[in-house]
Amino acid sequence: MGATTSAASGNGLDDEPAYRWPIPPPGGWTADDLDRIPGLPPHTELIDGSLVFRSRQSRVHMRCTRLLERSLLEQVPEHLDVDREFTIKLDRKNRPEPDILVIPVEADLGPDQTWLKPDDVLLAVEVVSPDSRERDREVKPRKYAQAGVPHFWRVEKDDDKGLPVVYVCELDPATKSYGLTGIFHDRLKVTVPFEIEIDLMAINRRRGGSEPA
């Protein structure tokens, strides 16, 4: 990848320096490179040795992620914790960043930690965006399953209601692939990886139970 050009004349940005995109080494980037490459945008992921940049997130994506994070934090057992937008080093060439993760408390190694091992992830959740559909529906779940992450949720937007729909998957250890165990509209209720119940219709609800005007 080469350097970007400066902005077109007349928009007031002509004097901005061009950003020089990092040029991958032969064989592509490695998982450890994410901590060494200067100037990467926040939430950059590594998929098959290539850098993947996140687009601007929609309001529904932000609120869905917030709802799931709050609900899981309220219900998670004492020996587990919930992380948001934190990378998993699956292998040398793959370091994705799920929207939500459930992990054992002992997997938290302190404030300077930048990634988790797949063995430390009990549940990975991806909230699908228009630019990430293929990755979230196919690429990432396949890689999480091969790495042994036991539970995976894919969250999509119901175009009719604008509410989240959660596809709950569980790992088959024999085939290292996920099987769909349920599709949840309006309310999610499962018993694994622990007892969880989430009112999906509360996506816009503020603390205290009020809805935005």
Side-chain angles (χ1 to χ4, degrees):
M1 292 183 286
T4 59
T5 59
S6 61
S9 61
N11 63 5
L13 299 177
D14 288 347
D15 295 332
E16 290 290 327
Y19 177 71
R20 189 167 187 84
W21 294 99
I23 300 173
W29 301 106
T30 68
D32 291 333
D33 288 330
L34 281 189
D35 294 329
R36 297 193 286 252
I37 304 171
L40 285 180
H43 310 296
T44 300
E45 301 178 287
L46 187 76
I47 304 293
D48 293 330
S50 297
L51 300 176
V52 177
F53 305 119
R54 176 179 290 187
S55 65
R56 293 186 182 275
Q57 298 302 297
S58 67
R59 182 177 296 277
V60 69
H61 186 285
M62 178 272 293
R63 289 188 172 180
C64 183
T65 305
R66 181 180 65 185
L67 171 66
L68 296 174
E69 180 186 27
R70 286 180 176 177
S71 300
L72 288 169
L73 279 169
E74 290 170 354
Q75 300 176 56
V76 72
E78 289 289 328
H79 66 285
L80 299 176
D81 203 353
V82 180
D83 279 344
R84 177 172 174 170
E85 298 170 334
F86 202 76
T87 59
I88 312 173
K89 189 189 290 187
L90 298 180
D91 54 41
R92 187 169 178 271
K93 292 290 187 180
N94 290 279
R95 190 170 153 187
E97 182 181 287
D99 290 292
I100 302 288
L101 307 97
V102 174
I103 63 172
V105 292
E106 60 267 23
D108 182 347
L109 302 180
D112 296 326
Q113 184 179 4
T114 59
W115 53 269
L116 292 159
K117 298 180 295 182
D119 291 348
D120 290 332
V121 180
L122 184 61
L123 167 66
V125 181
E126 294 287 357
V127 180
V128 177
S129 296
D131 72 315
S132 68
R133 283 194 181 100
E134 182 178 355
R135 292 193 302 274
D136 293 343
R137 290 174 176 175
E138 300 177 22
V139 178
K140 286 187 180 182
R142 183 175 69 250
K143 291 182 180 298
Y144 294 150
Q146 291 171 349
V149 176
H151 300 277
F152 173 73
W153 295 357
R154 188 182 85 246
V155 186
E156 307 257 3
K157 181 173 73 71
D158 181 332
D159 289 331
D160 292 331
K161 297 181 179 179
L163 298 174
V165 178
V166 183
Y167 296 76
V168 172
C169 301
E170 189 169 346
L171 182 67
D172 180 345
T175 62
K176 287 284 186 174
S177 62
Y178 288 125
L180 182 67
T181 60
I183 303 174
F184 295 87
H185 302 255
D186 299 342
R187 182 171 296 274
L188 180 151
K189 189 173 183 179
V190 295
T191 58
V192 291
F194 53 93
E195 295 273 355
I196 304 168
E197 186 168 356
I198 302 175
D199 180 3
L200 300 175
M201 294 187 291
I203 183 172
N204 295 316
R205 189 172 301 161
R206 298 189 181 100
R207 286 195 180 275
S210 64
E211 298 281 350

